[in-house]
Amino acid sequence: MPHKQSYGYGQIQKQIQKFALTQQMQQSIQILRYSTEDLAKYLKQKQLDNPFISIKGTMSYTGKSTDMSNVKIGQFDMVADNKSQSLYDYLLSQVHLTMRKTNLRSWVIYLIGQLDENGYLKIDLGKLIRKTGVDYITMMDALTLLQQLDPPGVGARSLQECLLLQIQNIEDAPIEAQLIVENEFVSLVEQNWEKIAANLAIDDKQIENAVEFIQRLTPAPGAAFEQENIGYVYPDLIIKKISGTTDFSIKTTKKTKPLVVFKKDYYDKFLRENEDEVKKFLKEKQRDFQELIRDIELRAETIVRVAEVIIERQHDFFEDGNEQLKPLLLRDVAQKLNLHESTISRAVNGKYLQCDFGVYELKYFFRRPVNSIGQDISVDTIKEHINVIIAAENQQKPLSDSKIATKLEKVGIRISRRTVAKYREELKIGSSTQRKRI
């Protein structure tokens, strides 16, 4: 007789390993992800939730403006008057209307792309000339054409040059204003009127009129235009070169490590109560304070550790702000610090460092590497080279992708024609046929 198979219910024991995030771990992750502004808001709420926590110093968000619209230089207030058009589009429209399609015009357009949000040209022209082999006269002509565009002062490489360009654009500008800005700029900023009067042989009334005129000029001609990323940021870290060495110091700011104080006297007052519920409440709030302190310290420590790896990898940039960045990925930092890649991502997003060359988000220093053996160069660097090569080409005989690859090889960058085409398309630059101008 065949065996009859029976079906039924039974109990089977299974051991399943499960990882659950505790509330403390969730808070730690959350605080690491916060920007300085978000951290300030979070601590303000914590202060309301826990009567024994006090945040010393103002936690209101009064950071440094990335568009410099609230920065003062000497007597000059920078005030933004937003327009609906970007500075880049406004300048480009003028170029298309006033300049013929020539190699010189290509360089003017390239320089427009190198302006910062205030209309200043920050690129080192000497390095650009050496890198591309473009004629010095051509580059200076392109700069002159750029500086002749509206708004007056655009394309300046310093505040002094910016003001001079504006003065030279105004027909009835006092001659004393130009003399002061051109020859006594430091004295102007320091308001050393006696020195100006003595060196230029002009009286107090002439100085007063000239200074009133200069104060009506704008130190940031580009700030009046719509910007894609206008906002306020406060650096989490200050990077300084250690004198006499090749090393850098890293200092956290007060926004990164705000002073959180426990109100012990107030706590002790309630501690005298004998009620169990009160004691339980006090214990919870004290633990809450300790965990908050630990998480703030961990946040700052993690950001500093990531910055140390960035500085080590991008050392040339911090030595000379015009150096190209080297390839660096989140996983590279994660492996070096023995942390998870997601932790590095939280540590770099919305966090900023201030160095001699400006304020940068930490994630700015991460660059994809080229998929080629033995090359220590980033995709962004190669794209920059391609951009420069195309800007300098003869528009009647534009370079093919193969010829661009050959030119790149001459500067030590070996990539295929297909890769050139891929990067060119990512830059939204047409093929040689599309770029040809008759």
Side-chain angles (χ1 to χ4, degrees), residues 37-105:
E37 182 181 11
D38 292 333
L39 180 62
K41 291 176 181 177
Y42 179 78
L43 292 179
K44 187 177 181 180
Q45 185 59 47
K46 273 289 186 182
Q47 192 172 226
L48 295 174
D49 295 340
N50 190 333
F52 306 108
I53 287 179
S54 175
I55 313 299
K56 292 298 180 182
T58 176
M59 290 305 299
S60 60
Y61 193 60
T62 55
K64 182 179 178 180
S65 169
T66 55
D67 68 344
M68 295 180 69
S69 59
N70 296 320
V71 177
K72 291 187 178 181
I73 301 180
Q75 290 266 6
F76 314 115
D77 294 342
M78 301 187 180
V79 182
D81 177 22
N82 293 330
K83 296 182 180 178
S84 59
Q85 189 178 27
S86 72
L87 176 65
Y88 179 85
D89 290 338
Y90 181 59
L91 294 173
L92 204 58
S93 66
Q94 294 176 65
V95 169
H96 290 315
L97 286 170
T98 61
M99 300 181 194
R100 292 183 296 108
K101 295 175 181 177
T102 62
N103 183 43
L104 182 59
R105 190 184 84 156

Side-chain angles (χ1 to χ4, degrees), residues 172-211:
D172 59 348
I175 184 63
E176 293 83 8
Q178 179 162 343
L179 290 172
I180 290 172
V181 173
E182 194 168 7
N183 303 303
E184 296 294 330
F185 184 70
V186 174
S187 298
L188 171 66
V189 174
E190 295 176 349
Q191 302 179 30
N192 191 338
W193 314 127
E194 292 182 3
K195 187 176 180 182
I196 292 174
N199 290 347
L200 298 180
I202 55 179
D203 58 36
D204 292 345
K205 186 63 177 175
Q206 289 173 306
I207 294 175
E208 183 180 347
N209 290 338
V211 171

Side-chain angles (χ1 to χ4, degrees), residues 25 40 109 128 137 142 214 223 269 282 288 295 356 360 362 426:
M25 291 173 70
I109 293 173
L128 182 61
I137 299 299
I214 293 167
K269 181 181 176 182
L282 293 174
D288 183 43
D295 290 338
D356 291 339
Y360 299 87
L362 294 188
E426 288 177 2

